Structures are given as structure tokens and as C-alpha cells.
Amino acid sequence: MKNKIHLIILCLIIIFSACSCSIKSTDDYYAYQSTKTSDTVNVKVDCITALSSLPEELKNGDYIPSNGIIIDTKVEYENGDTAFTVLTKALKGNKIQLDYNGEGESVYVRGISHLYEFSCGNLSGWMVSVNGVFGEKGANCVTVKPDDTVEWRYTCNLGADIGNAYTGEEQ
């Protein structure tokens, strides 16, 4: 009798779990749903500096365009948007791969369009600027405003090749 009760409870848990899951198709996952406003933020993602040292698997053009501009678009602004949230909107809306870890203030972008940190050497990775200014905070801590330009740029030399040289000193 106890085994039947345990089996019934287990079945109910499985049924409840299955009903509460949100399974989406690829199109549904990448379809960005917003609370529409007329305000936008410009989002650009480029890896121009990496073109000469791309890994072989990225040289075929499936992920990295020959001009190095992965995306240059506008996304709808929502109150509280950050450099990271507008990146997410832009990439999802265009079905471009994003790999990050952490959450909240500690979000770190590891890869965009299959180009990862260290793909082009041990000083390479993604950096972000808003209106041409590289921040000292995490991308999810940098709030944006309508008409801002958020640029995600790939560096092969710890920022020196994109105008944000790391000096190792506190500023």
C-alpha cells in the first residue's frame, strides 16, 4: 500500500512539473516581446580586430561576417535597460548566439556569435562602451537611455586595439 501511495505522489509530482515547464520553439525563444515605446537604443557588435586571427571554424562566414560587424541595429528602449539587456534583445531578435555567466551585477559575456574570450589569444574577449565610453562596472550595472549607442567590441589585446588600453592601475 505504501508503495502505491509513493507511486501516486511521484506521478503527481511529475505531472505538476511537466505542466509548469515552459517549453518554447526556437522561433518563440528568439522572438523578443517588449512593452513598446517609441524610444530606441543603438546596439552594435563588432569583431573587426579579430578578423586576421579568427579560429578556422569561424572563418567560413556562418557566424562572423567578412566585415566583422556582427550586428548594427536599434532595439526598443524600456525603463531600466542596461548595456547587457539591450545586447540580449538585439541578439535574440536576430537569432545570434550569446554565452554569458553570472547574473545581476556579475554578468560576464563570454561569447557572441561563437567568438569567445581567448578565441584569439589570452588577452582577447568582449568589452562594452556606451556612447564611446568604456565603463568600469559590469554590463548589467550600466543603465542606458534612449538614443544611447551601446557598442560591444572584441579585443585581441586587452582593450589596447579598441581604444581602452588596460594599465593595471586603479582609476
Side-chain angles (χ1 to χ4, degrees):
M1 185 68 172
K2 278 187 176 182
N3 286 340
K4 286 184 179 181
I5 292 173
H6 287 128
L7 183 60
I8 291 171
I9 291 172
L10 181 60
C11 289
L12 290 173
I13 290 171
I14 291 170
I15 291 170
F16 177 75
S17 296
C19 291
S20 64
C21 288
S22 175
I23 299 172
K24 297 180 180 181
S25 71
T26 303
D27 287 336
D28 288 341
Y29 174 78
Y30 281 109
Y32 171 68
Q33 302 295 323
S34 75
T35 55
K36 285 195 170 203
T37 69
S38 60
D39 295 323
T40 60
V41 175
N42 305 301
V43 178
K44 182 177 181 181
V45 177
D46 84 62
C47 61
I48 295 168
T49 59
L51 290 177
S52 63
S53 55
L54 282 175
E56 282 302 316
E57 63 270 14
L58 296 178
K59 288 184 178 178
N60 65 9
D62 288 342
Y63 303 117
I64 306 298
S66 60
N67 67 358
I69 307 296
I70 295 171
I71 193 168
D72 190 355
T73 190
K74 293 181 183 289
V75 296
E76 292 173 356
Y77 170 81
E78 293 180 56
N79 191 32
D81 272 347
T82 66
F84 178 72
T85 59
V86 296
L87 172 70
T88 303
K89 291 178 192 182
L91 296 181
K92 273 189 173 185
N94 288 279
K95 298 182 181 180
I96 298 172
Q97 179 264 355
L98 171 65
D99 184 9
Y100 66 93
N101 62 2
E103 58 185 46
E105 294 181 4
S106 65
V107 166
Y108 177 74
V109 172
R110 297 184 329 183
I112 299 173
S113 197
H114 302 278
L115 181 59
Y116 284 84
E117 61 178 335
F118 312 130
S119 289
C120 296
N122 61 357
L123 300 178
S124 64
W126 290 99
M127 298 183 95
V128 63
S129 67
V130 178
N131 299 325
V133 178
F134 289 92
E136 295 179 14
K137 299 178 182 177
N140 217 19
C141 296
V142 180
T143 56
V144 296
K145 302 180 301 305
D147 298 322
D148 278 353
T149 297
V150 177
E151 290 183 275
W152 286 85
R153 301 188 67 201
Y154 193 82
T155 177
C156 295
N157 192 17
L158 207 56
D161 52 350
I162 59 171
N164 187 38
Y166 175 72
T167 62
E169 300 172 8
E170 292 291 321
Q171 296 182 2

